[in-house]
Amino acid sequence: MNTRKPLDATATSLMVGLCFCFGLQQVALKAAAQDMAPILQISLRSGLAALLVVGLMLARRERLVQISRTWKPGLAVGVLFFLEYLFTGQSLRYTSASRSVVFLYTSPIFAALILHFMEASERMAPRQWAGILLAFCGIAVAFLGHQTVAGQGADLSLLGDALALLAGASWG
């Protein structure tokens, strides 16, 4: 049961489409930031999603409260998602949506690193380490070559970038 399958065109297309939709969220959050704080927008979106999940569970006649041994990992995942949303919302106050998206999508780097050290079956080969190093160098170049957001200082833009990177780490 330890077989890995290569990504096919369908899986790749779905992932690109999802990334496009996910990336568009930060643009929409930033565009509406003058009228509503990004963290409030994220909270409303998450609340609506929770209501939809509860509705689906009720329609399927599933129990809403299921106490099991998975509550601790579930709580940990919930805290990490909370941190991701918090960092994302705050990052959009200080940096551009495009930069926020780039740093948020560092999550696969963090996931790969965490899995490498936590799961023996996920150990990375030298070629994969080279890919992680290349991705990290790209992020470092983005940090070092940052430009200020219109009307804000470089320090605030860098703070926003750092918050978006923390969001990526939390998501990963």
Side-chain angles (χ1 to χ4, degrees), residues 3 5 9 12-13 29 32 34 45 47-48 52 54 64 72-73 75 83-84 93 108-109 113 140 163 166:
T3 60
K5 297 179 182 177
T12 303
S13 299
L29 289 169
Q34 294 296 324
R45 183 190 71 193
L48 178 61
L52 291 172
V54 167
L64 293 177
K72 287 181 183 177
L75 181 63
L83 289 173
E84 177 211 342
R93 294 177 55 202
I109 296 171
L113 290 172
L163 288 169
L166 285 172

Side-chain angles (χ1 to χ4, degrees), residues 43-166:
S43 299
L44 291 173
R45 183 190 71 193
S46 298
L48 178 61
L51 289 175
L52 291 172
V53 169
V54 167
L56 179 64
M57 290 177 73
L58 289 174
R60 292 182 175 180
R61 301 187 191 283
E62 295 179 13
R63 291 180 50 199
L64 293 177
V65 178
Q66 299 177 15
I67 308 244
S68 65
R69 293 184 195 145
T70 61
W71 75 270
K72 287 181 183 177
L75 181 63
V77 168
V79 167
L80 288 171
F81 270 110
F82 162 76
L83 289 173
E84 177 211 342
Y85 294 152
L86 178 67
F87 292 140
T88 299
Q90 293 302 332
S91 76
L92 290 170
R93 294 177 55 202
Y94 303 112
T95 194
S96 67
S98 60
R99 293 180 65 80
S100 180
V101 169
V102 168
F103 292 117
L104 180 61
Y105 279 92
T106 59
S107 63
I109 296 171
F110 294 106
L113 290 172
I114 291 167
L115 282 171
H116 174 80
F117 293 108
M118 293 186 74
E119 276 298 317
S121 64
E122 293 292 331
R123 299 281 190 253
M124 290 188 288
R127 187 174 178 186
Q128 293 166 314
W129 275 107
I132 293 290
L133 182 63
L134 182 64
F136 178 78
C137 288
I139 297 304
V141 167
F143 256 118
L144 297 174
H146 81 282
Q147 298 175 358
T148 60
V149 175
Q152 295 181 346
D155 292 340
L156 291 181
S157 181
L158 196 58
L159 172 63
D161 293 348
L163 288 169
L165 188 61
L166 285 172

